[in-house]
Amino acid sequence: MVTLSVADLESKGSVSFASKPVDASPTPSREGSHEKVYQPDPSSTANDLHTIGGGSHNRSSGPVDKLDRYLSSKPIISFGLTLQASWEAVAISFQSVLLNGGPSALVYGCILSTFGSAAMAATLGEMASMKPCVGAQYRWTAMLAPRGTNPRFWGYMQGWLTTFAWNAACALNPFLMGTMIRGCIILCNETYVPQGWHTTLLAYASMALPIFCNIYARRLIAPLEIVSAILHVLLLIVFVVILTLMARRSTADFVFNTSFFGYSGWQNEGVQWSIGLLAVIFPLGGYDAILHMADEVKDAPRKVPQAMVWATLLSGVVAFAFIIALLFCLGDVDKVSNTATGLPIIEVLYEATGSKAGTVFLVMGIYLIVGASQFNILASVSRLAWAFAKDGGLPFSSTFSKVHPTLRIPVNAVILTSCICLLINVIPVGSTAAFYALTSLSTLALYFSYCVPATLILIRKLENNFPAYGPWKIQVMPATPANMNWAGPILGGVIALAFSQWFMGGNKTFNLRRDEVDD
């Protein structure tokens, strides 16, 4: 197997992804299990990158800088599902939608975001199947860099962009966990006056267990992911049942046809509605976190893409289910929007249950899942930092590229990511607005990091210079009724049906209340 670094790309010119599946005999894994794995063609030339890890020019030939492969399909799908924590994230952040777009932005925005995120996850999944690597976006960008340009420049800029975005995102969960505890304290003690540094200390306390487990309990990742995913779904069922049975009911017209505008200062309604989409876009993003665990996934060319797509689709389904239940049981919108606790979900639960103890118990359930999500984010971001350091992309790369010989994890990279997270959480002491500005930028930066390699590979496709597919791809060619992805045609059929029905009578029978149209 030939290993090249990003540093070699400039001198090698055009780099090919070309590889093909080879019939491999069942090989015992480290746990003694047997499975058929995907292997690149051993006869490929030196211009073909076959490294699975981050790779670097100073990489040693021994196993000391490599990670163990111990994650199979169920744990890595659960990893993505728990990391996104989609419905829990909506529960914490839907206040912004009440000011921008309202219920319609949540309902239809969730549908749009699920389709869009799944499509992008599938696109990245194809590239992951061709070349699964911890560095993912920055390594693909370097390998697909336009001819005549410096691949190392493209990879370096993309590496910084992706690393920055994920470090900013990593800092958000502890802050939200601290905010949940603070909100529960306010609910139970009306005399309590919160200070910015209180939330920071609570965020620090919330980070303690994820940091400890990421360093000393690596083997807990696989069982923890499955347990967390199960709790993630069970807790949703509990919330839906409690809200449905105990909360005041909203109308279907409110849930599906109502929009809120004019509360955030923006004049254009389209802009306001789009801003509201952030509350559902962010929870359904971050699927590339699975990519950054590629060195620890068995049969990564197949299982990493599958995990990305399945985790995103499942996250969209549970988020949509929660949104429908939430909007039908929202209660007094003004009271929920202006709650003293700072988190509308606390007010929603308190209005439904009438019990402070019950409300705190339910909120702590969300806290638990967000804590598991933080465990996963820290693991993923530290691997990304480790891979980037292995390629010499970070200051003091020789330090952060090391793997602990007995713990078998990049301990220094975990510590680096943790320290950055803790430092960012100092910002709310001075300005919560500045903190949210920094962490919100991570969503934009992440999606930009997805678009760059996707655009570059599209250019390759248009140039008829498309890399060889891996064992997993969106569409099998030639397409047949059995293997075809029918989502696109079905969506087109629905649009065509709606379009025809509009002209066949829908334009006469469909009416909106005049007061809403005038407003």
Side-chain angles (χ1 to χ4, degrees):
M1 179 176 292
V2 178
T3 302
L4 296 180
S5 70
V6 169
D8 299 324
L9 292 173
E10 187 177 12
S11 61
K12 294 291 182 184
S14 175
V15 179
S16 170
F17 277 96
S19 59
K20 62 181 180 181
V22 174
D23 291 334
S25 333
T27 304
S29 68
R30 291 182 183 272
E31 281 81 6
S33 62
H34 293 75
E35 62 177 324
K36 181 172 287 188
V37 298
Y38 178 79
Q39 297 286 354
D41 184 359
S43 63
S44 299
T45 67
N47 280 342
D48 297 330
L49 281 172
H50 294 313
T51 175
I52 296 296
S56 73
H57 58 280
N58 58 1
R59 188 178 196 161
S60 71
S61 58
V64 69
D65 63 343
K66 297 179 181 179
L67 304 179
D68 298 334
R69 295 188 183 278
Y70 61 97
L71 296 174
S72 56
S73 293
K74 291 179 181 178
I76 196 61
I77 292 175
S78 300
F79 179 93
L81 186 63
T82 305
L83 182 144
Q84 290 178 312
S86 57
W87 74 262
E88 294 90 347
V90 171
I92 300 171
S93 63
F94 76 89
Q95 183 176 23
S96 62
V97 188
L98 298 180
L99 302 177
N100 298 281
S104 68
L106 268 177
V107 174
Y108 303 111
C110 181
I111 296 173
L112 289 173
S113 297
T114 300
F115 273 100
S117 296
M120 182 59 79
T123 300
L124 296 180
E126 281 196 337
M127 286 186 275
S129 186
M130 299 172 196
K131 196 61 56 185
C133 51
V134 178
Q137 294 100 306
Y138 83 81
R139 296 205 36 102
W140 299 336
T141 299
M143 288 188 283
L144 295 167
R147 301 179 189 280
T149 63
N150 186 340
R152 293 189 300 110
F153 171 79
W154 285 78
Y156 186 79
M157 297 302 292
Q158 177 74 294
W160 271 98
L161 176 68
T162 309
T163 305
F164 162 78
W166 266 116
N167 274 280
C170 186
L172 182 59
N173 268 9
F175 176 80
L176 294 176
M177 294 169 74
T179 301
M180 280 187 274
I181 297 176
R182 187 189 65 182
C184 290
I185 295 174
I186 294 174
L187 176 68
C188 298
N189 182 9
E190 297 179 358
T191 63
Y192 168 65
V193 180
Q195 303 293 329
W197 59 272
H198 294 175
T199 307
T200 296
L201 291 182
L202 290 171
Y204 280 20
S206 300
M207 273 291 291
L209 187 58
I211 293 174
F212 177 85
C213 289
N214 263 278
I215 295 176
Y216 296 107
R218 173 181 65 89
R219 286 290 177 178
L220 285 179
I221 290 183
L224 177 65
E225 300 317 321
I226 295 176
V227 171
S228 298
I230 293 172
L231 291 177
H232 171 66
V233 176
L234 291 179
L235 187 61
L236 170 65
I237 296 173
V238 171
F239 267 68
V240 170
V241 170
I242 289 176
L243 290 175
T244 302
L245 295 179
M246 304 183 72
R248 189 177 70 185
R249 205 65 62 84
S250 303
T251 65
D253 182 69
F254 171 81
V255 174
F256 296 105
N257 299 326
T258 304
S259 300
F260 297 152
F261 299 118
Y263 297 100
S264 62
W266 291 92
Q267 299 301 317
N268 186 285
E269 293 184 356
V271 171
Q272 294 177 65
W273 201 86
S274 297
I275 292 175
L277 287 180
L278 288 173
V280 286
I281 289 176
F282 179 77
L284 294 176
Y287 30 82
D288 64 307
I290 296 173
L291 291 169
H292 307 314
M293 301 295 293
D295 269 16
E296 291 156 275
V297 178
K298 302 174 184 177
D299 194 10
R302 285 190 177 90
K303 293 179 180 176
V304 166
Q306 292 171 355
M308 290 172 63
V309 174
W310 275 111
T312 303
L313 288 174
L314 291 172
S315 292
V317 169
V318 296
F320 185 76
F322 174 75
I323 286 171
I324 297 300
L326 173 68
L327 292 176
F328 268 110
C329 307
L330 191 60
D332 188 330
V333 176
D334 290 334
K335 191 173 183 180
V336 168
S337 302
N338 299 294
T339 175
T341 63
L343 288 176
I345 189 61
I346 295 179
E347 189 64 37
V348 170
L349 293 172
Y350 183 55
E351 282 194 20
T353 63
S355 167
K356 292 183 177 179
T359 298
V360 171
F361 178 80
L362 292 171
V363 172
M364 287 300 101
I366 297 178
Y367 179 94
L368 180 65
I369 301 300
V370 175
S373 172
Q374 183 62 18
F375 178 97
N376 295 356
I377 292 176
L378 184 57
S380 178
V381 180
S382 63
R383 271 55 168 186
L384 173 61
W386 166 74
F388 199 35
K390 283 169 71 70
D391 281 327
L394 294 178
F396 309 106
S397 286
S398 60
T399 298
F400 300 122
S401 63
K402 293 179 180 178
V403 174
H404 195 281
T406 56
L407 296 175
R408 306 302 305 136
I409 60 168
V411 172
N412 293 342
V414 173
I415 294 174
L416 171 66
T417 303
S418 302
C419 290
I420 293 174
C421 176
L422 296 175
L423 287 174
I424 293 176
N425 269 280
V426 175
I427 297 176
V429 175
S431 172
T432 303
F435 175 83
Y436 276 123
L438 178 62
T439 53
S440 297
L441 183 61
S442 66
T443 303
L444 176 62
L446 273 181
Y447 274 90
F448 187 80
S449 77
Y450 303 158
C451 290
V452 172
T455 301
L456 292 175
I457 205 166
L458 174 61
I459 294 173
R460 287 289 189 97
K461 183 73 171 180
L462 295 175
E463 293 175 346
N464 198 27
N465 186 27
F466 195 72
Y469 282 108
W472 189 95
K473 57 183 175 181
I474 301 172
Q475 185 66 63
V476 177
M477 296 300 291
T480 67
N483 64 35
M484 181 173 176
N485 184 342
W486 288 94
I490 291 173
L491 178 60
V494 172
I495 294 173
L497 178 63
F499 191 77
S500 62
Q501 286 297 308
W502 173 259
F503 288 102
M504 292 175 61
N507 58 339
K508 298 177 181 178
T509 60
F510 180 71
N511 290 289
L512 295 175
R513 292 185 301 188
R514 182 165 297 278
D515 58 342
E516 290 185 355
V517 176
D518 290 343
D519 290 342

